[in-house]
Amino acid sequence: MQNICASRATRNEAALRAGPLQKAPPRGLLVSWVFAVLCLVGMPLAAAEIRADASKPAAAAIASAHPLATEAGHRTLESGGNAFDAAVTVSAVLAVVEPYSSGLGGGGFWLLHRASDGLELMLDGRERAPLAAHRDMYLDGAGNPVSGRSIDGPLAAAIPGQPAALVHLARHYGRLPLEQSLAPAIRLARNGFAVDGHYLRMAQWRLDVLRKSPAAADQFLHANEVPAEGHLLRQPELADTLGALAKQGRKGFYAGPVAEKLVAGVRAAGGIWTLEDLRRYRVAERPPVRGSYRGMTITSAAPPSSGGIVLVEMLNVLAAFDLQSLSPEIRKHLLIEAMRRAYRDRAEYLGDPDFVDMPTPRLLHPFYGRGLARGIRLDRVTASRPPEGLAAGSAGRDTTHFSILDADGNRVAATLSINYPFGSGFVPPGTGVLLNDEMDDFSVRPGVPNVYGLIGGAANAIQPGKRMLSSMTPTFVESDRGVAILGTPGGSRIITMLLHAVLALAEGRGPEAWVEQPRFHHQYLPDEVEFEAGALSPAEMTSLKEKGHVLEPLNRPYGNMQAVYWDRRTGLVSAASDPRGIGTAEVISLPTSLR
Ligand code: GLY
């Protein structure tokens, strides 16, 4: 059957090549190409025949948070690159066009699946605390956190991991030279791109802090004000730094003139970086976290992200119930109680695996989830116990995500961040590199929440060279039916967004539903259920309140999920970009020579 499809694809190639790129409407689902549909219409398919060719998808696909990044990744695939080359391109373009979300001055996690041998790993490009960092660096003499110190300016910045990760990804997994996969980002940084409404909102939000860094104000503002929509944003110094990385690999960033300017700029403005910090930065390859739910295998982010563990733990709790047979009110109550329990463990146990011992096997064990489920009452909440001094936090729309599948079946799910919108707001002069404020993801003081309202304990305390705990959750979900590649930004709410998506997939719904569905969230503390408009019906709200839940309606949507799905039974590939954002999803037909 697959061969018939393939020959139809070949006949359709001329038309596909001549026509415009197969580009998704800016929002919503993209079902794969015409020929794949033709393969299905009126043809009863023998499952065995389809499964025989199930190792290769009928098309490639990319979903990312920005149209220019999706487009650039598409071109990299067209030039003979694989999913890993496209991931380098998309990461670097997002660094240029979404400076409020991710960048060379930040870090992230790239979850990889290599089709040729089934290798799966998480490339950990998470930032590390500078060697001069210490546990109490954000506290005043009385031991209280100093407002803004872990969020704004160079003292909030950890040592970036994204440049090293891109070099590693290209060298070890890509087919193309780094210079080629970084070229689109360099061009966009040098020639400029038109800023959109979302850029303006983010810049307005961080205007004060951007103004405090003259190099940041030069780069991201116009005459010290938020630029007008459509303003052509050129970043020539960032183009030069990307060029140095492309030519020299990690030495182009972590040593030599770029490193010297980074360190000089940080130190002149009160930061603590040294050349030794940069010289010592290394990415890590880590085995991903695995779990299962209703016949699906979950492969997700490992520590120093809490994402995979918290996701699997929530699913293990929910596996104790037959969710489909329960009323929507009870189902939502159970989801909230599962979230509460998993986020409590996050706060207590999780941190950087190079520094702390974690009870990971126990937390991931299905019996542990069942035990937690036994503690849930169907008629009322289990209250979270707040530590002293707790205050509610908020979650922003920072960070970014993209998902890629290539025509060989290689996959990348990557979530990247500089933490708060526009990170620390600080650019070391002459580098074009906007620095992260990821230090705020450490527990600045046990029990005191970060910008997402997340609390933490000793496991996530600041130590020199340590990676701070993350919520980023790039994920694959796989069964004999198909493979999902997905993730989202959204601070502490990332992991519960993934939970909603996995549950929708388990119900047989497609990527459009995963990215569109209204969401709700609980994270142990603050002890409240945040929800988007439409996430809870009036009857559900009444029932949840009766059980003792505190409901907190949000006046803005959250998240920006990017998802790809390869249905192994039909060969169809689909992709969807969250309607809350400006991203795009493309299903890409490539000439057979590139497949
Ligand atoms: N900075 C957001 C996260 O890593 O979870």
Side-chain angles (χ1 to χ4, degrees), residues 126 346 398-399 417 419 438 441 452 469-472 491 494:
R126 183 70 162 162
R346 178 195 196 278
D398 66 321
T399 310
S417 185
N419 200 28
E438 221 74 64
D441 274 350
Y452 308 110
L469 187 61
S470 171
S471 299
M472 294 189 283
I494 289 174

Side-chain angles (χ1 to χ4, degrees), residues 211-235:
R211 280 177 173 158
K212 283 189 191 138
S213 163
D218 268 2
Q219 192 165 338
F220 299 115
L221 304 177
H222 183 62
N224 229 24
E225 299 294 340
V226 174
E229 189 160 352
H231 169 81
L232 194 66
L233 190 82
R234 292 198 178 95
Q235 303 173 78

Side-chain angles (χ1 to χ4, degrees), residues 135-213:
R135 195 193 61 181
D136 298 336
M137 63 188 280
Y138 300 113
L139 305 182
D140 64 16
N144 296 315
V146 180
S147 171
R149 198 185 270 180
S150 61
I151 299 170
D152 301 334
L155 197 61
I159 306 305
Q162 178 154 326
L166 298 188
V167 173
H168 188 92
L169 198 50
R171 293 254 159 95
H172 294 271
Y173 300 100
R175 284 188 201 137
L176 303 180
L178 190 59
E179 282 182 277
Q180 189 175 344
S181 37
L182 288 181
I186 297 172
R187 252 193 323 272
L188 278 162
R190 199 167 303 288
N191 300 341
F193 70 99
V195 298
D196 55 51
H198 187 58
Y199 179 100
L200 304 194
R201 282 190 292 281
M202 295 291 109
Q204 185 65 49
W205 192 7
R206 296 292 273 157
L207 185 57
D208 289 347
V209 69
L210 288 170
R211 280 177 173 158
K212 283 189 191 138
S213 163

Side-chain angles (χ1 to χ4, degrees), residues 292-295 309-323 334 337-338 341-342 344-345 361-378:
S292 61
Y293 182 73
R294 307 226 176 275
I309 292 179
V310 172
L311 176 62
V312 169
E313 200 178 316
M314 290 187 292
L315 289 167
N316 285 343
V317 173
L318 295 172
F321 303 94
D322 180 7
L323 291 183
L334 291 175
E337 292 301 309
R341 284 158 175 75
R344 180 196 54 206
D345 284 349
R362 174 162 69 87
L363 297 178
L364 290 174
H365 202 287
F367 287 173
Y368 179 67
R370 282 196 171 264
L372 292 179
R374 273 198 290 276
I376 298 178
R377 287 186 56 153
L378 294 185

Side-chain angles (χ1 to χ4, degrees), residues 343-364:
Y343 273 80
R344 180 196 54 206
D345 284 349
R346 178 195 196 278
E348 186 164 352
Y349 297 117
L350 302 185
D352 180 349
D354 296 338
F355 282 72
V356 290
D357 285 330
M358 289 169 278
T360 306
R362 174 162 69 87
L363 297 178
L364 290 174

